[in-house]
Amino acid sequence: MTQTILEVKDLVTRFYTPEGVVHAVNGMSFNLDERETLGIVGESGCGKSVTVLSILRLIPNPPGKIERGEAFFLGKDLLQLPIDELRQVRGKEIGMIFQDPMTSLNPVMTIGRQVAEPMIEHLGMSKREARERVIELLIMVGIPDPAARLDDYPHQFSGGMRQRAMIAMALSCDPKILIADEPTTALDVTIQAQIVDLVNQLQDKLGMAIIWITHDLGVVARLVDRVVVMYAGYPVERASVKEVYGNPRHPYTISLLQSLPRIDQVREDRLANIKGRPPDLFEEPKFCPFAPRCPFVQNRCWEENPGMRSVGENHNIACWFDVTTEDLP
């Protein structure tokens, strides 16, 4: 039987700024099973990155604050762990690849030293042992002639090579979970495909679970098992990747997929777009946050914000009504 290794319940994160309170994450819930890949998708600013940074308590405080929620990792609530215990989880049990490898890597430390650091800190390796392991890791992630590149600095690596070094660092302690926070955003299309394939191969080899955060629905389709779609800090649809692509049920997901170019369709008109703009996160909506842009909006949508409900086996949406792609106006 598959074991659930991470369970997040009703996560709420706010940022208290001079301009007002930013409602960044609003009741996010999901679980992650062993060896599973979970995709968290949505447009920029919807709360994807803040969700995982909150789980690891990496958001700056102040101005950020986790207002409520639970994040159980193998039975321990990460949001309540003493900071010393949490530091043993970060990097060792849960590894993370950040968006931009140029700003994530320390520019004045060598690549070898940075990749070795988690192993020295968490596994008690000597510098010599860690250096030998770094060479093995750099080989694993596809960096040529790694022994000669250990003492190079980040600016001497290309963008793709820097991201491979970040992946090596994230995997250095054999984590149970790898969080990939839009790891291909700063890379060109060819390198993006290489990084996606590399992570896929490493998961097969190492058996870790992955949380893949992205706004690229093409990556999601080929890489993940289940999907959580976010909008304005809220989870609006949770289902298997086949269900989300084959039978989307939330109006936002339907609109999102309608806006994608498809190789099996010849369009004579322009691609569909989602009219309007995302809501102002300084205001907590008392109604459905997608209502101002929704093609299916009805009176009830303006009266109350719907919670998650089941529309099929392991398929949940935050919508008052049952709609499908066939109902599009």
Side-chain angles (χ1 to χ4, degrees):
M1 184 175 178
T2 304
Q3 180 186 10
T4 297
I5 59 175
L6 179 66
E7 186 174 9
V8 177
K9 298 179 181 178
D10 194 28
L11 178 66
V12 174
T13 301
R14 304 279 185 261
F15 288 90
Y16 293 86
T17 73
E19 292 77 22
V21 180
V22 179
H23 300 80
V25 178
N26 307 296
M28 184 64 165
S29 299
F30 63 88
N31 58 57
L32 178 70
D33 295 338
E34 287 180 315
R35 304 182 70 92
E36 179 184 36
T37 302
L38 175 74
I40 301 179
V41 303
E43 57 199 76
S44 297
C46 73
K48 306 183 298 294
S49 297
V50 175
T51 294
V52 294
L53 292 174
S54 297
I55 292 168
L56 294 176
R57 285 157 59 189
L58 289 174
I59 61 167
N61 182 10
K65 183 180 179 182
I66 300 168
E67 294 286 359
R68 68 172 187 267
E70 298 172 321
F72 285 99
F73 171 66
L74 297 177
K76 297 180 180 179
D77 186 357
L78 299 178
L79 303 185
Q80 300 299 326
L81 274 186
I83 193 65
D84 289 343
E85 291 184 39
L86 182 62
R87 286 192 180 117
Q88 292 304 309
V89 173
R90 296 176 186 156
K92 182 179 180 183
E93 305 283 354
I94 301 177
M96 187 162 181
I97 311 168
F98 295 91
Q99 287 190 29
D100 185 353
M102 194 59 213
T103 56
S104 301
L105 290 167
N106 189 326
V108 297
M109 286 176 62
T110 64
I111 292 293
R113 183 180 171 188
Q114 293 187 65
V115 177
E117 195 170 40
M119 294 180 284
I120 295 170
E121 174 69 23
H122 294 299
L123 304 181
M125 287 187 178
S126 67
K127 290 183 178 180
R128 182 174 181 177
E129 290 171 332
R131 188 177 177 90
E132 291 173 357
R133 177 59 178 157
V134 169
I135 293 174
E136 295 174 7
L137 288 165
L138 295 184
I139 291 172
M140 186 170 66
V141 299
I143 292 181
D145 196 14
R149 304 301 303 271
L150 285 181
D151 296 321
D152 285 354
Y153 289 87
H155 72 273
Q156 295 173 281
F157 275 47
S158 67
M161 288 299 179
R162 287 194 293 267
Q163 197 60 290
R164 288 172 187 267
M166 287 291 296
I167 294 171
M169 192 187 312
L171 298 179
S172 60
C173 296
D174 293 328
K176 292 180 172 62
I177 298 175
L178 176 67
I179 298 174
D181 184 8
E182 302 205 43
T184 60
T185 298
L187 307 175
D188 64 54
V189 175
T190 304
I191 304 302
Q192 286 182 20
Q194 293 176 7
I195 295 298
V196 170
D197 288 341
L198 173 62
V199 173
N200 218 353
Q201 293 165 14
L202 292 173
Q203 182 183 31
D204 290 340
K205 181 178 180 179
L206 303 175
M208 62 206 166
I210 295 176
I211 299 175
W212 192 283
I213 299 168
T214 185
H215 57 262
D216 188 337
L217 292 172
V219 168
V220 169
R222 63 182 291 201
L223 189 66
V224 312
D225 303 305
R226 285 190 303 118
V227 180
V228 180
V229 181
M230 290 188 73
Y231 184 79
Y234 292 89
V236 296
E237 185 155 8
R238 284 195 306 261
S240 70
V241 68
K242 290 183 179 179
E243 274 288 291
V244 165
Y245 280 84
N247 183 31
R249 299 294 298 276
H250 191 277
Y252 175 60
T253 312
I254 292 172
S255 300
L256 207 58
L257 292 172
Q258 285 290 315
S259 68
L260 291 178
R262 291 181 53 173
I263 198 169
D264 61 340
Q265 290 183 354
V266 178
R267 293 180 181 266
E268 295 181 358
D269 53 356
R270 289 176 176 267
L271 288 171
N273 68 318
I274 303 175
K275 296 180 180 179
R277 58 184 181 181
D280 184 355
L281 296 183
F282 283 109
E283 298 180 12
E284 186 173 12
K286 305 301 181 185
F287 47 83
C288 174
F290 191 58
R293 308 173 73 186
C294 182
F296 306 103
V297 65
Q298 299 184 38
N299 288 338
R300 188 177 184 183
C301 306
W302 296 104
E303 297 168 357
E304 190 178 356
N305 191 354
M308 279 285 193
R309 65 182 179 90
S310 175
V311 290
E313 185 177 358
N314 298 318
H315 193 163
N316 300 279
I317 62 170
C319 184
W320 292 118
F321 306 103
D322 290 322
V323 297
T324 67
T325 52
E326 296 177 358
D327 299 318
L328 276 172

PDB file of all heavy atoms in Angstrom, residues 53-65:
ATOM      1  N   LEU A  53       7.265  27.319   0.172  1.00  0.00           N
ATOM      2  CA  LEU A  53       8.156  28.039   1.083  1.00  0.00           C
ATOM      3  C   LEU A  53       7.557  28.108   2.486  1.00  0.00           C
ATOM      4  O   LEU A  53       8.284  28.064   3.487  1.00  0.00           O
ATOM      5  CB  LEU A  53       8.441  29.441   0.554  1.00  0.00           C
ATOM      6  CG  LEU A  53       9.287  29.517  -0.721  1.00  0.00           C
ATOM      7  CD1 LEU A  53       9.377  30.960  -1.219  1.00  0.00           C
ATOM      8  CD2 LEU A  53      10.682  28.952  -0.500  1.00  0.00           C
ATOM      9  N   SER A  54       6.232  28.185   2.566  1.00  0.00           N
ATOM     10  CA  SER A  54       5.568  28.179   3.869  1.00  0.00           C
ATOM     11  C   SER A  54       5.716  26.822   4.547  1.00  0.00           C
ATOM     12  O   SER A  54       5.937  26.745   5.765  1.00  0.00           O
ATOM     13  CB  SER A  54       4.080  28.512   3.711  1.00  0.00           C
ATOM     14  OG  SER A  54       3.888  29.808   3.200  1.00  0.00           O
ATOM     15  N   ILE A  55       5.601  25.746   3.771  1.00  0.00           N
ATOM     16  CA  ILE A  55       5.734  24.402   4.331  1.00  0.00           C
ATOM     17  C   ILE A  55       7.088  24.225   4.996  1.00  0.00           C
ATOM     18  O   ILE A  55       7.210  23.625   6.068  1.00  0.00           O
ATOM     19  CB  ILE A  55       5.523  23.343   3.229  1.00  0.00           C
ATOM     20  CG1 ILE A  55       4.060  23.342   2.760  1.00  0.00           C
ATOM     21  CG2 ILE A  55       5.922  21.945   3.700  1.00  0.00           C
ATOM     22  CD1 ILE A  55       3.832  22.538   1.495  1.00  0.00           C
ATOM     23  N   LEU A  56       8.138  24.785   4.364  1.00  0.00           N
ATOM     24  CA  LEU A  56       9.491  24.688   4.919  1.00  0.00           C
ATOM     25  C   LEU A  56       9.838  25.872   5.819  1.00  0.00           C
ATOM     26  O   LEU A  56      10.968  25.987   6.285  1.00  0.00           O
ATOM     27  CB  LEU A  56      10.507  24.595   3.776  1.00  0.00           C
ATOM     28  CG  LEU A  56      10.433  23.318   2.934  1.00  0.00           C
ATOM     29  CD1 LEU A  56      11.412  23.383   1.769  1.00  0.00           C
ATOM     30  CD2 LEU A  56      10.707  22.082   3.787  1.00  0.00           C
ATOM     31  N   ARG A  57       8.846  26.753   6.021  1.00  0.00           N
ATOM     32  CA  ARG A  57       9.033  27.952   6.860  1.00  0.00           C
ATOM     33  C   ARG A  57      10.224  28.782   6.393  1.00  0.00           C
ATOM     34  O   ARG A  57      11.082  29.197   7.178  1.00  0.00           O
ATOM     35  CB  ARG A  57       9.142  27.558   8.330  1.00  0.00           C
ATOM     36  CG  ARG A  57       7.774  27.177   8.896  1.00  0.00           C
ATOM     37  CD  ARG A  57       7.826  26.287  10.110  1.00  0.00           C
ATOM     38  NE  ARG A  57       8.558  26.854  11.227  1.00  0.00           N
ATOM     39  CZ  ARG A  57       8.852  26.141  12.319  1.00  0.00           C
ATOM     40  NH1 ARG A  57       8.482  24.879  12.411  1.00  0.00           N
ATOM     41  NH2 ARG A  57       9.517  26.694  13.311  1.00  0.00           N
ATOM     42  N   LEU A  58      10.246  29.026   5.090  1.00  0.00           N
ATOM     43  CA  LEU A  58      11.307  29.822   4.490  1.00  0.00           C
ATOM     44  C   LEU A  58      10.843  31.213   4.066  1.00  0.00           C
ATOM     45  O   LEU A  58      11.608  31.962   3.489  1.00  0.00           O
ATOM     46  CB  LEU A  58      11.896  29.087   3.277  1.00  0.00           C
ATOM     47  CG  LEU A  58      12.739  27.848   3.582  1.00  0.00           C
ATOM     48  CD1 LEU A  58      13.124  27.141   2.288  1.00  0.00           C
ATOM     49  CD2 LEU A  58      13.977  28.220   4.381  1.00  0.00           C
ATOM     50  N   ILE A  59       9.582  31.533   4.334  1.00  0.00           N
ATOM     51  CA  ILE A  59       9.136  32.882   3.985  1.00  0.00           C
ATOM     52  C   ILE A  59       9.696  33.872   5.009  1.00  0.00           C
ATOM     53  O   ILE A  59       9.837  33.550   6.185  1.00  0.00           O
ATOM     54  CB  ILE A  59       7.593  32.986   3.919  1.00  0.00           C
ATOM     55  CG1 ILE A  59       6.967  32.661   5.278  1.00  0.00           C
ATOM     56  CG2 ILE A  59       7.029  32.098   2.842  1.00  0.00           C
ATOM     57  CD1 ILE A  59       5.504  33.035   5.366  1.00  0.00           C
ATOM     58  N   PRO A  60      10.072  35.071   4.567  1.00  0.00           N
ATOM     59  CA  PRO A  60      10.627  36.060   5.511  1.00  0.00           C
ATOM     60  C   PRO A  60       9.569  36.508   6.516  1.00  0.00           C
ATOM     61  O   PRO A  60       8.437  36.817   6.142  1.00  0.00           O
ATOM     62  CB  PRO A  60      11.052  37.210   4.588  1.00  0.00           C
ATOM     63  CG  PRO A  60      10.229  37.053   3.351  1.00  0.00           C
ATOM     64  CD  PRO A  60       9.993  35.585   3.187  1.00  0.00           C
ATOM     65  N   ASN A  61       9.940  36.515   7.791  1.00  0.00           N
ATOM     66  CA  ASN A  61       9.006  36.889   8.848  1.00  0.00           C
ATOM     67  C   ASN A  61       9.669  37.914   9.773  1.00  0.00           C
ATOM     68  O   ASN A  61      10.586  37.557  10.523  1.00  0.00           O
ATOM     69  CB  ASN A  61       8.596  35.662   9.653  1.00  0.00           C
ATOM     70  CG  ASN A  61       7.588  35.988  10.738  1.00  0.00           C
ATOM     71  OD1 ASN A  61       7.052  37.077  10.785  1.00  0.00           O
ATOM     72  ND2 ASN A  61       7.345  35.030  11.626  1.00  0.00           N
ATOM     73  N   PRO A  62       9.224  39.199   9.786  1.00  0.00           N
ATOM     74  CA  PRO A  62       8.196  39.757   8.910  1.00  0.00           C
ATOM     75  C   PRO A  62       8.731  39.989   7.491  1.00  0.00           C
ATOM     76  O   PRO A  62       9.930  39.872   7.307  1.00  0.00           O
ATOM     77  CB  PRO A  62       7.878  41.092   9.614  1.00  0.00           C
ATOM     78  CG  PRO A  62       9.167  41.473  10.300  1.00  0.00           C
ATOM     79  CD  PRO A  62       9.803  40.174  10.715  1.00  0.00           C
ATOM     80  N   PRO A  63       7.871  40.287   6.517  1.00  0.00           N
ATOM     81  CA  PRO A  63       6.440  40.591   6.614  1.00  0.00           C
ATOM     82  C   PRO A  63       5.530  39.362   6.535  1.00  0.00           C
ATOM     83  O   PRO A  63       4.343  39.458   6.798  1.00  0.00           O
ATOM     84  CB  PRO A  63       6.201  41.486   5.405  1.00  0.00           C
ATOM     85  CG  PRO A  63       7.158  40.941   4.378  1.00  0.00           C
ATOM     86  CD  PRO A  63       8.388  40.515   5.157  1.00  0.00           C
ATOM     87  N   GLY A  64       6.097  38.172   6.163  1.00  0.00           N
ATOM     88  CA  GLY A  64       5.252  37.005   5.996  1.00  0.00           C
ATOM     89  C   GLY A  64       4.877  36.364   7.319  1.00  0.00           C
ATOM     90  O   GLY A  64       5.625  36.413   8.295  1.00  0.00           O
ATOM     91  N   LYS A  65       3.701  35.741   7.341  1.00  0.00           N
ATOM     92  CA  LYS A  65       3.255  35.027   8.536  1.00  0.00           C
ATOM     93  C   LYS A  65       2.338  33.886   8.133  1.00  0.00           C
ATOM     94  O   LYS A  65       1.410  34.081   7.349  1.00  0.00           O
ATOM     95  CB  LYS A  65       2.514  35.972   9.487  1.00  0.00           C
ATOM     96  CG  LYS A  65       2.099  35.292  10.792  1.00  0.00           C
ATOM     97  CD  LYS A  65       1.365  36.263  11.708  1.00  0.00           C
ATOM     98  CE  LYS A  65       0.931  35.563  12.988  1.00  0.00           C
ATOM     99  NZ  LYS A  65       0.158  36.485  13.886  1.00  0.00           N
TER     100      LYS A  65
END
